[in-house]
Amino acid sequence: MTASSDFFRLRYGANTTNVNIAENDSLRTLFSHRSIRAYLSQPLPEGTLETLVTAAQSASTSSNLQTWSVVAVEDVNRKEKLSQLAGNQAHIRQAPLFLVWLADLARLTHIAESNGLPHEALDYLEMFLMATIDATLAAQNAAVAAESLGLGTVYIGGIRNHPEKVAEVLNLPPHVVGVFGLCVGYADPAVKAEIKPRLPQTAVLHRETYQLAAQDEAIANYNEVMKAFYTAQNMNVPGDWTEHSAKRIAFAESLSGRDRLGEALNNLGFKLR
Ligand SMILES: Cc1cc2nc3c(=O)[nH]c(=O)nc-3n(C[C@H](O)[C@H](O)[C@H](O)COP(=O)(O)O)c2cc1C
């Protein structure tokens, strides 16, 4: 079987060049991704969490330093608190499992200190970025694994609205911060979730050197695709993708409190030199 034009059409919301490459289960899982924001209360099969964490730990990790951890939250009260902190997102309460992915420099601090060794390099922005990248790669492996098991997921960046309070709820030590959460559960079939189109490849794929001006046509096409998508989904999203994105970046207030992330990270022990 060749990669069906259906997958490409759904991912780009338009007819695209057909690619003649053999389709497989991994590609089908990746191409079928959509965020799920309505969950059944149905519990996850035993062993699901361990399977997701094994997938997460199978991701590459910078220098094998493994500067990430994850907190699995299933307790109703704790999910409620995290949901409030993330801007009252109901799907956090609904999903049976909420995973909080952590940039974790505490473990390396600990091994250095308990061996009487210096750890000056941990104070640099580079190490925070490394930990964030590690956590992200791990989380995405877990998300794909969950989807391959027929589960739904949605990332929750809202937990960065209140990083110190999230740290309190999860009992995080210094040098650890929640980067984002991930809801995991069975999608409620009563609430439709369609594949959301992405920018045409002519916007994001550059060959040999980067081209900015050449993206205008692709962006204009995408604005039309997204307008049609929102109309088809009966979603009341004002404006097109350009307007929507421009609003999101216009002012510091659009960051929902995350304009003080640098200060919050300092408070959590990250020096970010
Ligand atoms: C790091 C990250 C943080 C996100 N945070 C939220 C969030 O707080 N709430 C939410 O409903 N969706 C959140 N999302 C989901 C995005 O809105 C979603 O991935 C995007 O609109 C594309 O839709 P799709 O995942 O269905 O393809 C987040 C996604 C990422 C990658």
Side-chain angles (χ1 to χ4, degrees), residues 12 25 30 60 81 97 101 107 112 119 124 158 186 208 245 264:
Y12 297 106
D25 286 347
L30 289 168
S60 293
K81 280 186 198 156
L97 175 64
W101 299 90
R107 192 163 39 241
H119 50 73
Y124 286 81
Y186 288 101
E208 310 308 332
S245 305

Side-chain angles (χ1 to χ4, degrees), residues 11 33-35 37 89 91 154-158 160 180 194 196 198 258:
R11 183 50 71 204
H33 164 77
R34 71 267 270 167
S35 290
R37 296 184 179 83
Q89 300 198 48
H91 31 273
V154 62
Y155 281 101
I156 303 294
R160 295 196 304 278
F180 45 72
E194 299 295 342
K196 191 186 280 182
R198 296 294 196 260
R258 295 179 220 170

Side-chain angles (χ1 to χ4, degrees), residues 19-56:
V19 173
N20 191 22
I21 206 157
E23 202 173 293
N24 60 46
D25 286 347
S26 303
L27 290 176
R28 271 189 285 275
T29 300
L30 289 168
F31 292 170
S32 303
H33 164 77
R34 71 267 270 167
S35 290
I36 298 298
R37 296 184 179 83
Y39 293 93
L40 301 175
S41 57
Q42 189 181 337
L44 304 180
E46 208 176 306
T48 301
L49 175 60
E50 293 76 6
T51 304
L52 300 189
V53 172
T54 305

Side-chain angles (χ1 to χ4, degrees), residues 172-228:
L172 304 183
H175 311 110
V176 182
V177 63
V179 182
F180 45 72
L182 186 75
C183 300
V184 183
Y186 288 101
D188 180 347
V191 182
K192 277 192 104 186
E194 299 295 342
I195 291 176
K196 191 186 280 182
R198 296 294 196 260
L199 284 162
Q201 290 197 2
T202 45
V204 304
L205 170 62
H206 306 264
R207 295 191 188 265
E208 310 308 332
T209 59
Y210 187 94
Q211 307 292 331
L212 186 57
Q215 297 177 36
D216 286 346
E217 191 187 331
I219 292 168
N221 288 341
Y222 187 59
N223 281 331
E224 293 309 313
V225 164
M226 285 308 284
K227 269 201 272 187

Side-chain angles (χ1 to χ4, degrees), residues 52-74:
L52 300 189
V53 172
T54 305
Q57 290 192 277
S58 302
S60 293
T61 158
S62 296
S63 306
N64 199 28
L65 289 177
Q66 306 176 59
T67 51
W68 66 273
S69 292
V70 62
V71 181
V73 180
E74 294 171 290

